[in-house]
PDB file of all heavy atoms in Angstrom:
ATOM      1  N   SER A 336      -1.302 -16.564  -3.764  1.00 94.00           N
ATOM      2  CA  SER A 336      -1.400 -17.744  -4.568  1.00 94.00           C
ATOM      3  C   SER A 336      -1.844 -17.324  -5.970  1.00 94.00           C
ATOM      4  O   SER A 336      -2.626 -16.352  -6.116  1.00 94.00           O
ATOM      5  CB  SER A 336      -2.427 -18.734  -4.025  1.00 94.00           C
ATOM      6  OG  SER A 336      -2.636 -19.788  -4.910  1.00 94.00           O
ATOM      7  N   CYS A 337      -1.373 -17.989  -6.996  1.00 94.00           N
ATOM      8  CA  CYS A 337      -1.809 -17.723  -8.357  1.00 94.00           C
ATOM      9  C   CYS A 337      -3.173 -18.377  -8.644  1.00 94.00           C
ATOM     10  O   CYS A 337      -3.734 -18.141  -9.703  1.00 94.00           O
ATOM     11  CB  CYS A 337      -0.753 -18.196  -9.370  1.00 94.00           C
ATOM     12  SG  CYS A 337       0.817 -17.299  -9.239  1.00 94.00           S
ATOM     13  N   GLU A 338      -3.687 -19.142  -7.680  1.00 94.00           N
ATOM     14  CA  GLU A 338      -5.033 -19.648  -7.691  1.00 94.00           C
ATOM     15  C   GLU A 338      -5.690 -19.160  -6.399  1.00 94.00           C
ATOM     16  O   GLU A 338      -5.962 -20.003  -5.492  1.00 94.00           O
ATOM     17  CB  GLU A 338      -5.086 -21.163  -7.830  1.00 94.00           C
ATOM     18  CG  GLU A 338      -4.729 -21.679  -9.189  1.00 94.00           C
ATOM     19  CD  GLU A 338      -4.889 -23.171  -9.293  1.00 94.00           C
ATOM     20  OE1 GLU A 338      -4.339 -23.909  -8.417  1.00 94.00           O
ATOM     21  OE2 GLU A 338      -5.548 -23.640 -10.236  1.00 94.00           O
ATOM     22  N   PRO A 339      -5.930 -17.899  -6.230  1.00 94.00           N
ATOM     23  CA  PRO A 339      -6.405 -17.382  -4.970  1.00 94.00           C
ATOM     24  C   PRO A 339      -7.793 -17.876  -4.572  1.00 94.00           C
ATOM     25  O   PRO A 339      -8.645 -18.032  -5.465  1.00 94.00           O
ATOM     26  CB  PRO A 339      -6.389 -15.875  -5.154  1.00 94.00           C
ATOM     27  CG  PRO A 339      -6.592 -15.693  -6.635  1.00 94.00           C
ATOM     28  CD  PRO A 339      -5.889 -16.825  -7.277  1.00 94.00           C
ATOM     29  N   SER A 340      -7.979 -18.051  -3.295  1.00 95.00           N
ATOM     30  CA  SER A 340      -9.318 -18.418  -2.816  1.00 95.00           C
ATOM     31  C   SER A 340     -10.156 -17.200  -2.524  1.00 95.00           C
ATOM     32  O   SER A 340     -11.377 -17.311  -2.337  1.00 95.00           O
ATOM     33  CB  SER A 340      -9.209 -19.275  -1.547  1.00 95.00           C
ATOM     34  OG  SER A 340      -8.441 -18.602  -0.551  1.00 95.00           O
ATOM     35  N   VAL A 341      -9.535 -16.003  -2.537  1.00 95.00           N
ATOM     36  CA  VAL A 341     -10.224 -14.781  -2.246  1.00 95.00           C
ATOM     37  C   VAL A 341      -9.912 -13.725  -3.303  1.00 95.00           C
ATOM     38  O   VAL A 341      -8.751 -13.586  -3.729  1.00 95.00           O
ATOM     39  CB  VAL A 341      -9.773 -14.243  -0.825  1.00 95.00           C
ATOM     40  CG1 VAL A 341     -10.371 -12.857  -0.596  1.00 95.00           C
ATOM     41  CG2 VAL A 341     -10.180 -15.196   0.278  1.00 95.00           C
ATOM     42  N   ARG A 342     -10.949 -13.019  -3.716  1.00 94.00           N
ATOM     43  CA  ARG A 342     -10.753 -11.926  -4.652  1.00 94.00           C
ATOM     44  C   ARG A 342     -10.887 -10.597  -3.887  1.00 94.00           C
ATOM     45  O   ARG A 342     -11.785 -10.436  -3.031  1.00 94.00           O
ATOM     46  CB  ARG A 342     -11.819 -11.945  -5.744  1.00 94.00           C
ATOM     47  CG  ARG A 342     -11.689 -13.125  -6.710  1.00 94.00           C
ATOM     48  CD  ARG A 342     -10.431 -13.018  -7.546  1.00 94.00           C
ATOM     49  NE  ARG A 342     -10.247 -14.151  -8.415  1.00 94.00           N
ATOM     50  CZ  ARG A 342      -9.192 -14.369  -9.199  1.00 94.00           C
ATOM     51  NH1 ARG A 342      -8.201 -13.435  -9.176  1.00 94.00           N
ATOM     52  NH2 ARG A 342      -9.082 -15.411  -9.958  1.00 94.00           N
ATOM     53  N   VAL A 343     -10.048  -9.650  -4.204  1.00 93.00           N
ATOM     54  CA  VAL A 343     -10.080  -8.305  -3.599  1.00 93.00           C
ATOM     55  C   VAL A 343     -10.845  -7.413  -4.543  1.00 93.00           C
ATOM     56  O   VAL A 343     -10.408  -7.178  -5.686  1.00 93.00           O
ATOM     57  CB  VAL A 343      -8.656  -7.787  -3.352  1.00 93.00           C
ATOM     58  CG1 VAL A 343      -8.735  -6.406  -2.686  1.00 93.00           C
ATOM     59  CG2 VAL A 343      -7.836  -8.747  -2.516  1.00 93.00           C
ATOM     60  N   LEU A 344     -11.966  -6.893  -4.093  1.00 90.00           N
ATOM     61  CA  LEU A 344     -12.845  -6.100  -4.967  1.00 90.00           C
ATOM     62  C   LEU A 344     -13.199  -4.784  -4.278  1.00 90.00           C
ATOM     63  O   LEU A 344     -13.213  -4.711  -3.028  1.00 90.00           O
ATOM     64  CB  LEU A 344     -14.162  -6.889  -5.222  1.00 90.00           C
ATOM     65  CG  LEU A 344     -14.001  -8.263  -5.839  1.00 90.00           C
ATOM     66  CD1 LEU A 344     -15.356  -8.984  -5.741  1.00 90.00           C
ATOM     67  CD2 LEU A 344     -13.529  -8.189  -7.240  1.00 90.00           C
ATOM     68  N   PRO A 345     -13.506  -3.747  -5.048  1.00 85.00           N
ATOM     69  CA  PRO A 345     -13.969  -2.508  -4.439  1.00 85.00           C
ATOM     70  C   PRO A 345     -15.342  -2.740  -3.800  1.00 85.00           C
ATOM     71  O   PRO A 345     -16.193  -3.412  -4.345  1.00 85.00           O
ATOM     72  CB  PRO A 345     -14.071  -1.549  -5.645  1.00 85.00           C
ATOM     73  CG  PRO A 345     -14.191  -2.423  -6.833  1.00 85.00           C
ATOM     74  CD  PRO A 345     -13.405  -3.657  -6.533  1.00 85.00           C
ATOM     75  N   ALA A 346     -15.499  -2.205  -2.611  1.00 87.00           N
ATOM     76  CA  ALA A 346     -16.764  -2.399  -1.888  1.00 87.00           C
ATOM     77  C   ALA A 346     -17.852  -1.617  -2.536  1.00 87.00           C
ATOM     78  O   ALA A 346     -17.626  -0.537  -3.135  1.00 87.00           O
ATOM     79  CB  ALA A 346     -16.590  -1.976  -0.415  1.00 87.00           C
ATOM     80  N   ARG A 347     -19.071  -2.103  -2.418  1.00 82.00           N
ATOM     81  CA  ARG A 347     -20.248  -1.423  -2.980  1.00 82.00           C
ATOM     82  C   ARG A 347     -21.336  -1.228  -1.926  1.00 82.00           C
ATOM     83  O   ARG A 347     -21.474  -2.065  -1.017  1.00 82.00           O
ATOM     84  CB  ARG A 347     -20.824  -2.221  -4.191  1.00 82.00           C
ATOM     85  CG  ARG A 347     -19.901  -2.182  -5.380  1.00 82.00           C
ATOM     86  CD  ARG A 347     -20.499  -2.856  -6.601  1.00 82.00           C
ATOM     87  NE  ARG A 347     -19.693  -2.679  -7.775  1.00 82.00           N
ATOM     88  CZ  ARG A 347     -19.749  -1.665  -8.608  1.00 82.00           C
ATOM     89  NH1 ARG A 347     -20.623  -0.692  -8.353  1.00 82.00           N
ATOM     90  NH2 ARG A 347     -18.948  -1.535  -9.642  1.00 82.00           N
ATOM     91  N   SER A 348     -22.130  -0.189  -2.110  1.00 76.00           N
ATOM     92  CA  SER A 348     -23.283   0.045  -1.279  1.00 76.00           C
ATOM     93  C   SER A 348     -24.471   0.058  -2.247  1.00 76.00           C
ATOM     94  O   SER A 348     -24.720   1.044  -2.926  1.00 76.00           O
ATOM     95  CB  SER A 348     -23.167   1.386  -0.560  1.00 76.00           C
ATOM     96  OG  SER A 348     -24.355   1.644   0.180  1.00 76.00           O
ATOM     97  N   GLY A 349     -25.144  -1.075  -2.386  1.00 74.00           N
ATOM     98  CA  GLY A 349     -26.170  -1.246  -3.377  1.00 74.00           C
ATOM     99  C   GLY A 349     -25.517  -1.257  -4.761  1.00 74.00           C
ATOM    100  O   GLY A 349     -24.612  -2.001  -5.038  1.00 74.00           O
ATOM    101  N   ASP A 350     -26.000  -0.373  -5.669  1.00 73.00           N
ATOM    102  CA  ASP A 350     -25.416  -0.307  -7.008  1.00 73.00           C
ATOM    103  C   ASP A 350     -24.231   0.682  -7.093  1.00 73.00           C
ATOM    104  O   ASP A 350     -23.599   0.788  -8.136  1.00 73.00           O
ATOM    105  CB  ASP A 350     -26.490   0.113  -8.008  1.00 73.00           C
ATOM    106  CG  ASP A 350     -27.590  -0.917  -8.142  1.00 73.00           C
ATOM    107  OD1 ASP A 350     -27.285  -2.106  -7.930  1.00 73.00           O
ATOM    108  OD2 ASP A 350     -28.737  -0.545  -8.440  1.00 73.00           O
ATOM    109  N   GLU A 351     -23.977   1.394  -5.997  1.00 74.00           N
ATOM    110  CA  GLU A 351     -22.943   2.415  -6.000  1.00 74.00           C
ATOM    111  C   GLU A 351     -21.682   1.891  -5.331  1.00 74.00           C
ATOM    112  O   GLU A 351     -21.711   1.016  -4.456  1.00 74.00           O
ATOM    113  CB  GLU A 351     -23.419   3.657  -5.299  1.00 74.00           C
ATOM    114  CG  GLU A 351     -24.676   4.286  -5.869  1.00 74.00           C
ATOM    115  CD  GLU A 351     -24.429   4.865  -7.241  1.00 74.00           C
ATOM    116  OE1 GLU A 351     -23.302   5.375  -7.482  1.00 74.00           O
ATOM    117  OE2 GLU A 351     -25.357   4.844  -8.049  1.00 74.00           O
ATOM    118  N   LEU A 352     -20.533   2.443  -5.771  1.00 77.00           N
ATOM    119  CA  LEU A 352     -19.288   2.112  -5.124  1.00 77.00           C
ATOM    120  C   LEU A 352     -19.261   2.732  -3.708  1.00 77.00           C
ATOM    121  O   LEU A 352     -19.776   3.841  -3.522  1.00 77.00           O
ATOM    122  CB  LEU A 352     -18.088   2.658  -5.895  1.00 77.00           C
ATOM    123  CG  LEU A 352     -17.680   1.915  -7.164  1.00 77.00           C
ATOM    124  CD1 LEU A 352     -16.581   2.699  -7.900  1.00 77.00           C
ATOM    125  CD2 LEU A 352     -17.170   0.531  -6.809  1.00 77.00           C
TER     126      LEU A 352
END
Side-chain angles (χ1 to χ4, degrees):
S336 172
C337 295
E338 288 184 308
S340 54
V341 174
R342 293 292 178 185
V343 181
L344 304 169
R347 290 185 173 273
S348 177
D350 294 332
E351 301 293 327
L352 284 174

